[in-house]
Amino acid sequence: MSYQAPLRDMRFVLHELFDVSAHCELLGNGLDRELIDGVLEEAARYTGEVIAPLNRNSDEEGVTLVNGQVTTPKGFREAYQQYVDNGWASMTGPTEYGGQGFPQMVAASFHEMLMAASLSFRVYSGLTEGAVLALYKHGSEELKNAYLEKMVSGVWTGTMCLTEPQAGTDLALLRTRAEPQADGSYAVTGSKIFISGGEQDLSENIVHLVLARLPDAPAGVKGISLLLVPKFIASADGTPGVKNTLSCGAIEHKMGIKGAATCVMNFDGATGWLIGSANQGLACMFTMMNDARFQVGLQGLGVAERSFQGALSYARERLQSRALTGPAAPEKAADPIIVHPDVRRMLLTQKTLVEGSRMLSAYTARQLDLEHGHPDADARKAASKRVALLIPIVKSFFTDMGQEVASLGVQIYGGHGFIREWGMEQLMRDSRITQIYEGTNGIQALDFIRRKLLGDGAAELGKLQDELSELCSAQAQRRELSELVAPLQVRLQEWRALTAEVLAASNRDPQEIGAYSVDFLQYSSYVLLAGLWLQAAARAQDALDAGAGEAEFYQAKLHSALFYTRRILPRVSSHREALLGGADCLMALPEAHFAF
Amino acid sequence: MSYQAPLRDMRFVLHELFDVSAHCELLGNGLDRELIDGVLEEAARYTGEVIAPLNRNSDEEGVTLVNGQVTTPKGFREAYQQYVDNGWASMTGPTEYGGQGFPQMVAASFHEMLMAASLSFRVYSGLTEGAVLALYKHGSEELKNAYLEKMVSGVWTGTMCLTEPQAGTDLALLRTRAEPQADGSYAVTGSKIFISGGEQDLSENIVHLVLARLPDAPAGVKGISLLLVPKFIASADGTPGVKNTLSCGAIEHKMGIKGAATCVMNFDGATGWLIGSANQGLACMFTMMNDARFQVGLQGLGVAERSFQGALSYARERLQSRALTGPAAPEKAADPIIVHPDVRRMLLTQKTLVEGSRMLSAYTARQLDLEHGHPDADARKAASKRVALLIPIVKSFFTDMGQEVASLGVQIYGGHGFIREWGMEQLMRDSRITQIYEGTNGIQALDFIRRKLLGDGAAELGKLQDELSELCSAQAQRRELSELVAPLQVRLQEWRALTAEVLAASNRDPQEIGAYSVDFLQYSSYVLLAGLWLQAAARAQDALDAGAGEAEFYQAKLHSALFYTRRILPRVSSHREALLGGADCLMALPEAHFAF
């Protein structure tokens, strides 16, 4: 199954919807439309021609661990070398360490392509960018000088070592310890599990960011520190030096992303250095968390796009049965299955969820850029709040969506969808982990409610709702958009009432928070996407009004917006009613009685 | 991950809800409560101790094909021998051919256990029962005498050979041909794909039921005949005789059920005999279709039960974070995750979907029995109509449900859910095919609408709705059930209005049929389950009122019914609103514009 980056839609989102050129001018990074489009075309070529063809085999071949050495699937080494040589690794890295300083808004398109091409391949590089960020923000000058340049270039990679067998969601239970040494370094001892790319044969060094406890640390999450623990300690000349006392003890046998090495990492008095202050590990790690969660969201989006592409091409070629209104292709033995309304329902569900999520990914990436790079401090703060609100949505909604879309892709293929050679089922297996790692989607929903909603009494969410209402008002007079505006206005009103109810319920009973969290996040996500679809439809209508050409492209946007509004947006009704069902019916059943 | 058959719930459904003893008396099969319970206990032992432990390895080991010989996973041969020796194979077979004539209502519980224990193992025996049925109903005396006894006992197995590369859903496109021979047999030539158990090392002979065209057959589905084509032609003494000219050309590499051989079967002038009349193959096959689709529904149910068992035991043991209201197990390092409302939401979703579906499976099995065995012809006809209405629901709703529940099981395990050793992800992979084979779930929905609803102007569905209304009326005065009755009454009214709207829409535009089919089937399924939950709650309340003991069991039923009504039933709102979105937004987008 091939993959071609959806360049036209990406350009629509970047240029027509969000004016990325103006964004880049504001950020002062010197990128213009021509340069951006050129980069995306080259990215499309690299991901489509170099990475995507490796994906199917990587699932069958998997990774092997022999004598502590991991071998990655055929072709990954060469592809990673290109990733480094051609500057893809350094795209978003800080310029003072050799990075190219691309904004997330552009990089997100490339990263979506990478995810679509191969989730397994992306795992090896995906956490390096987050590690760079944490080190850049919190590391000592000495550490930065020793490690950052190589990490930015991708010659060295980074990992995040958080999870331990007894400590997954609950980092308070961490046991890995770091003992201070006379030279200012620490001896790190403990075992970490689920470490993506903990060992591999792609980069010449691997820099682990490890959460551990110092000897005098307070209990719980206030006693966690972040340490840099490299596989090879950097020499003064910038080459990998002494091998550290750490090793990969095992690799996991997984449902998917089988081309990615998921490692048990054993640290046996390994030499490490503090990043940031002692006991401030969680705060330092949260620096990379928004980035890491955004990247996982893009995984859901990328997989979904690829599944849609596969399903669409199959639905146009596979001949089976006749249309309900009589033969559509009488010259053929049967009609292509895209004539069947239910197949179209599945395809349009894929298409509108994917394109809607792509708009939200660009919107979120823009806020990420503004949070870090807007010249005005107040604007940076405002963007930071918006990012905080959106990240749990992007992480959980995109990954749930990715799984749904991948499953629809399998269904459209019928029996062939279940056969590995076709590649559709792999997308389901690969993407299933995205709903779990970097904080399960249930944890995202709790974060959304507790930190992002209750944290400010829903002030930021209210601002977002106001902006969507303003969008509706601005478009309300356009006859062509009336079928989109009116339903969205109804939902916005309902959403505000629900938000008030959710705040009230939280005050009545803390159990309610956990009882409605997932449904409320889902509700919010679908309405937010409806707002973006209205915005897309408005731009499309602008283009049609202006007679600017490509009428079919813009008409398709209007059709898709209508489908989303009529057939996807109604999902919020069930979420609303379910959450109003309250916490009692969840909590009343005694634990022992579940087993009856 | 172990499996223990949910015997207490099965007894509740069989005895307390549907009075299986009275059912058996009506059918005159001589089974009483003691005998039934004894059989189910023995079945629980066999599936839990013999089959279930083979399942994990069967996924890793898979099947191999060497020189046309398939080798099944370790332990399958011995377990199958027990299956035959202990009479499990012959449970439902006709008594005149050595079967035990058990009603489906009892057998369904055993079959659910088999599915839960190992979907892969069940594949080898699952189609034999349908093949027996087709041969018993439509075969000549000669064929029956030569093949039925061995098939009933399970010493020989049966397959269904329908699909060809170009003909999946659309059997009109079949190309396999059958040439009449001078001796009354046929020479069958063609290639069939996706043949479950087409070749294996478990049974001494394999009897293929093959759809093919005779030379003078009319085009399309009116020209399809059903033939019996054995691997070995039965000798006069009842042993496998001459090897037929057919072979397994390849086995598929699949997402799941890897312990099941899914074969490409090549028939090369193989000797076969007509079952039923020429060109009546589809009708003959439809005899086994209800049975086969019911069995696939049970696959969804069995997998869901096993996932729930795994998730529940993990949720009670896994310690992670503290309850929202403060430590629930202060003596431990953290609370078991079952204290968290969102984990309970997932567990109760599993539990109530599983138990609700189990009630519907028993209800449907009872109707299957009455269709074939009620002494009164009118009652048989009535049951036949009810079966026809319910089968597409059981097949599609149970299998969608199975996938959802299996995915929730993975989610509750967190990262461990993605690791193969734990067994949770295998349930997702194994059950994914159930939404596809024996008619995709989209095809089930079309069948539900076109044949079962439009076929009689919704008369049978109306009867079912009336019965549910009567149930509500009968329970309306019970204060303890008021929170269940009122919401169901509202939905029943809505369902009737929606049914009328759906009929009207079908008359306006045939595209509407395919546009609303899946949502209407889902809507109907959830309301039907709510009716069964009300019935279960009424029986539980009866038992509590009578002070009959086991109060906690019955209280749990009331809790579960309330959860279902408040938090699952609301899903119908979205299905209703989506289907009212109409066909236009599906059909308006030109095919070429999907690719933008």
Side-chain angles (χ1 to χ4, degrees):
Chain A
M1 190 188 32
S2 65
Y3 168 70
Q4 289 189 301
L7 284 175
R8 181 62 188 94
D9 194 52
M10 286 175 166
R11 286 197 302 266
F12 173 75
V13 172
L14 288 178
H15 298 304
E16 300 174 61
L17 208 56
F18 295 124
D19 195 355
V20 66
S21 303
H23 178 67
C24 288
E25 205 175 312
L26 177 72
L27 297 172
N29 56 30
L31 297 176
D32 61 17
R33 182 168 182 152
E34 196 182 348
L35 185 61
I36 291 168
D37 287 351
V39 166
L40 292 185
E41 268 166 45
E42 194 50 37
R45 198 202 57 74
Y46 171 64
T47 53
E49 295 174 19
V50 179
I51 309 295
L54 304 175
N55 197 45
R56 183 77 274 285
N57 171 70
S58 78
D59 180 66
E60 297 294 331
E61 186 183 346
V63 291
T64 53
L65 173 70
V66 177
N67 297 330
Q69 291 291 317
V70 165
T71 304
T72 56
K74 196 164 137 252
F76 273 31
R77 281 178 65 90
E78 295 75 12
Y80 188 78
Q81 196 57 50
Q82 282 197 40
Y83 183 77
V84 174
D85 291 347
N86 297 345
W88 298 116
S90 61
M91 202 170 185
T92 58
T95 48
E96 61 266 53
Y97 292 94
Q100 301 171 71
F102 267 72
Q104 288 292 342
M105 202 174 163
V106 177
S109 295
F110 168 59
H111 291 147
E112 182 201 318
M113 296 181 206
L114 266 185
M115 306 308 185
S118 174
L119 230 49
S120 284
F121 180 77
R122 173 57 175 161
V123 159
Y124 293 104
S125 63
L127 293 169
T128 307
E129 289 143 36
V132 162
L133 207 59
L135 183 57
Y136 180 69
K137 289 264 182 187
H138 304 287
S140 67
E141 283 308 308
E142 209 178 336
L143 274 186
K144 290 202 273 190
N145 290 334
Y147 289 92
L148 258 184
E149 199 175 307
K150 292 287 180 122
M151 291 173 73
V152 166
S153 69
V155 173
W156 297 357
T157 53
T159 76
M160 281 171 75
C161 298
L162 281 62
T163 304
E164 299 177 11
Q166 78 294 346
T169 292
D170 188 357
L171 293 173
L173 303 174
L174 284 187
R175 289 183 197 145
T176 296
R177 53 188 208 279
E179 303 272 348
Q181 306 296 298
D183 64 355
S185 71
Y186 289 79
V188 177
T189 302
S191 194
K192 295 284 182 178
I193 63 169
F194 299 159
I195 308 309
S196 295
E199 183 52 69
Q200 31 83 349
D201 57 0
L202 303 179
S203 65
E204 64 177 35
N205 197 3
I206 303 171
V207 179
H208 303 286
L209 299 202
V210 182
L211 289 184
R213 291 185 182 285
L214 306 194
D216 53 352
V221 292
K222 290 180 173 18
I224 295 174
S225 301
L226 183 65
L227 293 103
L228 181 150
V229 189
K231 178 179 173 185
F232 297 104
I233 294 165
S235 299
D237 64 358
T239 59
V242 180
K243 170 78 173 69
N244 212 340
T245 51
L246 59 90
S247 62
C248 171
I251 51 177
E252 304 286 354
H253 307 112
K254 307 188 299 291
M255 179 186 198
I257 54 168
K258 293 185 183 180
T262 304
C263 303
V264 175
M265 294 302 299
N266 297 318
F267 297 87
D268 187 17
T271 303
W273 294 270
L274 265 184
I275 296 178
S277 314
N279 302 328
Q280 295 299 311
L282 273 200
C284 297
M285 205 198 55
F286 266 94
T287 302
M288 57 197 289
M289 209 44 111
N290 276 345
D291 181 76
R293 289 179 172 172
F294 182 66
Q295 287 290 323
V296 175
L298 292 181
Q299 296 181 2
L301 174 56
V303 164
E305 166 67 30
R306 191 161 188 182
S307 179
F308 171 59
Q309 289 188 16
L312 176 58
S313 102
Y314 191 78
R316 295 169 81 165
E317 284 164 18
R318 174 72 170 169
L319 306 178
Q320 219 57 184
S321 305
R322 291 298 184 185
L324 289 163
T325 46
E331 76 287 2
K332 293 180 180 161
D335 291 334
I337 62 173
I338 197 169
V339 304
H340 304 307
D342 190 56
V343 172
R344 286 176 159 251
R345 177 187 64 80
M346 294 192 277
L347 288 169
L348 283 164
T349 300
Q350 293 186 304
K351 182 177 170 67
T352 58
L353 285 174
V354 166
E355 292 178 9
S357 298
R358 184 172 294 124
M359 293 188 261
L360 181 53
S361 89
Y363 178 85
T364 306
R366 186 169 69 160
Q367 299 294 332
L368 276 164
D369 290 332
L370 297 177
E371 176 185 9
H372 298 294
H374 198 289
D376 176 64
D378 286 344
R380 286 200 299 275
K381 202 171 160 193
S384 159
K385 284 186 189 168
R386 187 55 54 93
V387 164
L389 188 71
L390 294 176
I391 287 295
I393 288 182
V394 168
K395 196 281 177 182
S396 61
F397 184 78
F398 284 21
T399 58
D400 287 347
M401 179 281 289
Q403 184 69 17
E404 178 187 351
V405 167
S407 187
L408 288 171
V410 168
Q411 196 68 21
I412 290 168
Y413 269 65
H416 300 285
F418 197 65
I419 307 298
R420 298 209 298 274
E421 280 83 344
W422 290 85
M424 297 303 284
E425 60 83 40
Q426 185 187 346
L427 298 174
M428 267 192 85
R429 288 188 289 106
D430 285 353
S431 70
R432 185 61 187 83
I433 189 60
T434 63
Q435 299 170 286
I436 296 170
Y437 61 16
E438 302 303 343
T440 67
N441 286 359
I443 291 296
Q444 301 304 317
L446 265 187
D447 174 62
F448 182 65
I449 300 295
R450 295 175 80 178
R451 292 212 188 82
K452 314 304 168 59
L453 199 74
L454 303 180
D456 69 357
E460 184 63 24
L461 183 65
K463 265 184 74 176
L464 179 61
Q465 291 166 339
D466 290 345
E467 289 166 25
L468 290 171
S469 291
E470 283 159 29
L471 171 69
C472 286
S473 304
Q475 302 297 331
Q477 300 311 315
R478 293 173 85 166
R479 191 180 42 78
E480 302 90 343
L481 304 180
S482 61
E483 291 190 273
L484 306 176
V485 171
L488 179 54
Q489 282 175 321
V490 170
R491 297 301 183 179
L492 282 169
Q493 205 165 356
E494 190 180 77
W495 191 13
R496 288 177 201 270
L498 200 60
T499 306
E501 170 55 32
V502 148
L503 289 175
S506 309
N507 288 329
R508 280 199 304 274
D509 177 4
Q511 302 283 26
E512 290 284 355
I513 297 168
Y516 63 63
S517 51
V518 165
D519 283 307
F520 188 72
L521 181 142
Q522 290 280 334
Y523 186 102
S524 304
S525 306
Y526 282 113
V527 180
L528 182 53
L529 242 61
L532 288 161
W533 267 114
L534 172 59
Q535 210 171 332
R539 284 300 81 71
Q541 192 61 51
D542 292 345
L544 288 169
D545 291 349
E550 290 188 285
E552 293 178 344
F553 175 82
Y554 296 111
Q555 281 293 357
K557 280 280 173 239
L558 290 169
H559 277 134
S560 297
L562 190 62
F563 174 86
Y564 182 89
T565 303
R566 285 212 192 147
R567 309 221 30 149
I568 303 294
L569 185 56
R571 294 182 183 188
V572 298
S573 290
S574 296
H575 288 299
R576 177 180 163 276
E577 293 174 33
L579 85 80
L580 292 175
D584 286 357
C585 64
L586 294 175
M587 306 313 294
L589 190 67
E591 183 212 309
H593 300 181
F594 275 73
F596 286 137
Chain B
M1 189 190 28
S2 65
Y3 167 70
Q4 288 189 302
L7 285 175
R8 181 63 189 92
D9 195 52
M10 286 176 167
R11 285 196 303 266
F12 173 75
V13 172
L14 288 178
H15 300 304
E16 299 174 62
L17 208 56
F18 295 124
D19 196 354
V20 67
S21 304
H23 178 67
C24 287
E25 207 174 309
L26 177 73
L27 296 172
N29 57 29
L31 298 176
D32 61 16
R33 181 166 183 153
E34 197 182 345
L35 186 60
I36 291 167
D37 287 352
V39 167
L40 292 186
E41 268 165 43
E42 196 48 39
R45 197 201 58 73
Y46 172 63
T47 53
E49 294 175 18
V50 178
I51 309 295
L54 305 175
N55 196 47
R56 184 76 274 286
N57 171 69
S58 78
D59 180 66
E60 297 294 331
E61 187 184 345
V63 291
T64 53
L65 173 71
V66 178
N67 298 328
Q69 293 290 317
V70 165
T71 303
T72 57
K74 196 163 137 255
F76 273 31
R77 281 179 64 91
E78 295 75 11
Y80 188 78
Q81 196 58 49
Q82 282 196 41
Y83 182 76
V84 174
D85 292 346
N86 297 344
W88 298 116
S90 60
M91 202 170 187
T92 59
T95 49
E96 60 267 50
Y97 292 94
Q100 301 171 72
F102 267 71
Q104 289 291 341
M105 201 174 163
V106 177
S109 295
F110 168 57
H111 291 148
E112 182 201 317
M113 295 181 205
L114 267 185
M115 307 309 184
S118 173
L119 230 49
S120 284
F121 180 78
R122 173 56 175 162
V123 159
Y124 293 104
S125 64
L127 293 169
T128 307
E129 289 143 35
V132 162
L133 206 59
L135 184 56
Y136 180 68
K137 290 262 183 189
H138 304 288
S140 67
E141 283 307 309
E142 210 178 334
L143 273 186
K144 290 203 272 191
N145 290 334
Y147 291 93
L148 258 184
E149 198 175 309
K150 293 286 179 121
M151 291 173 74
V152 166
S153 70
V155 174
W156 297 357
T157 53
T159 77
M160 284 170 74
C161 298
L162 281 62
T163 304
E164 299 176 10
Q166 79 293 347
T169 292
D170 190 356
L171 293 173
L173 303 173
L174 283 188
R175 289 183 197 145
T176 295
R177 53 187 205 280
E179 303 272 349
Q181 306 296 297
D183 64 356
S185 71
Y186 290 78
V188 177
T189 303
S191 195
K192 296 284 182 177
I193 63 170
F194 298 160
I195 308 309
S196 296
E199 183 51 71
Q200 33 81 352
D201 57 0
L202 304 179
S203 65
E204 62 178 37
N205 198 5
I206 303 171
V207 180
H208 303 286
L209 299 201
V210 182
L211 290 183
R213 291 185 182 285
L214 305 194
D216 52 353
V221 292
K222 290 179 176 12
I224 296 174
S225 301
L226 183 65
L227 293 104
L228 181 149
V229 189
K231 178 178 174 185
F232 297 103
I233 294 165
S235 298
D237 64 357
T239 59
V242 180
K243 170 78 172 70
N244 212 342
T245 50
L246 59 89
S247 62
C248 171
I251 50 177
E252 305 286 354
H253 307 110
K254 308 188 299 291
M255 179 187 200
I257 54 167
K258 292 185 183 180
T262 304
C263 303
V264 175
M265 294 303 298
N266 298 318
F267 297 87
D268 187 16
T271 303
W273 293 270
L274 264 184
I275 295 177
S277 315
N279 302 327
Q280 294 298 310
L282 271 200
C284 297
M285 205 197 57
F286 266 93
T287 301
M288 57 197 287
M289 209 43 114
N290 275 345
D291 182 76
R293 290 179 171 170
F294 181 67
Q295 287 291 322
V296 175
L298 292 181
Q299 296 181 0
L301 173 55
V303 164
E305 167 68 32
R306 191 161 188 182
S307 179
F308 171 58
Q309 288 188 17
L312 176 58
S313 102
Y314 191 78
R316 295 168 80 167
E317 285 163 18
R318 174 73 171 169
L319 305 177
Q320 217 60 183
S321 303
R322 291 298 184 185
L324 289 163
T325 46
E331 75 286 3
K332 294 179 177 162
D335 291 333
I337 62 173
I338 198 170
V339 305
H340 304 308
D342 190 57
V343 173
R344 286 177 158 251
R345 176 187 65 80
M346 294 192 278
L347 287 169
L348 283 164
T349 300
Q350 294 185 303
K351 181 178 173 67
T352 59
L353 286 173
V354 166
E355 293 178 9
S357 298
R358 184 172 293 124
M359 293 188 262
L360 182 53
S361 89
Y363 178 86
T364 305
R366 186 167 72 158
Q367 300 294 332
L368 276 164
D369 290 331
L370 296 177
E371 177 185 9
H372 298 294
H374 197 290
D376 177 64
D378 285 346
R380 287 198 298 276
K381 203 173 158 192
S384 158
K385 284 185 188 166
R386 186 56 55 93
V387 164
L389 188 71
L390 294 176
I391 288 293
I393 288 182
V394 168
K395 196 281 176 180
S396 62
F397 183 76
F398 284 23
T399 57
D400 286 349
M401 178 281 291
Q403 185 67 18
E404 177 187 350
V405 167
S407 188
L408 288 171
V410 167
Q411 196 69 21
I412 290 167
Y413 269 66
H416 300 286
F418 197 65
I419 306 299
R420 297 208 299 274
E421 280 84 345
W422 289 85
M424 297 302 284
E425 60 83 40
Q426 184 186 346
L427 298 174
M428 268 191 82
R429 288 187 290 106
D430 285 353
S431 70
R432 185 62 186 82
I433 188 60
T434 64
Q435 298 169 287
I436 296 170
Y437 62 15
E438 301 303 343
T440 66
N441 287 358
I443 291 297
Q444 301 302 317
L446 265 187
D447 173 61
F448 182 65
I449 301 295
R450 295 176 80 180
R451 290 210 189 83
K452 313 306 169 58
L453 200 75
L454 303 180
D456 70 355
E460 184 63 24
L461 183 65
K463 266 184 73 176
L464 179 62
Q465 291 166 339
D466 289 345
E467 289 165 26
L468 291 170
S469 291
E470 284 158 29
L471 171 69
C472 287
S473 304
Q475 302 296 333
Q477 300 311 316
R478 295 173 84 168
R479 190 180 41 78
E480 302 91 341
L481 305 179
S482 61
E483 289 190 276
L484 306 176
V485 172
L488 179 55
Q489 283 176 320
V490 170
R491 296 302 181 177
L492 282 170
Q493 206 165 354
E494 190 180 78
W495 192 12
R496 288 176 201 272
L498 200 60
T499 305
E501 170 56 30
V502 149
L503 289 175
S506 309
N507 289 328
R508 279 198 305 273
D509 178 3
Q511 303 283 25
E512 289 284 356
I513 298 169
Y516 64 63
S517 52
V518 164
D519 283 307
F520 188 71
L521 182 143
Q522 290 279 337
Y523 186 103
S524 304
S525 306
Y526 282 114
V527 180
L528 182 53
L529 241 63
L532 288 161
W533 268 114
L534 173 58
Q535 211 171 331
R539 286 298 82 71
Q541 192 61 49
D542 292 345
L544 288 168
D545 291 349
E550 292 189 284
E552 293 178 343
F553 174 81
Y554 296 110
Q555 282 291 358
K557 279 280 173 239
L558 290 168
H559 276 134
S560 297
L562 189 64
F563 174 86
Y564 182 88
T565 303
R566 285 210 192 148
R567 308 219 34 146
I568 303 294
L569 184 55
R571 292 182 183 188
V572 297
S573 291
S574 296
H575 289 298
R576 178 179 163 277
E577 292 173 34
L579 85 81
L580 293 176
D584 286 358
C585 64
L586 295 174
M587 306 314 295
L589 189 67
E591 184 213 307
H593 300 181
F594 275 74
F596 285 137

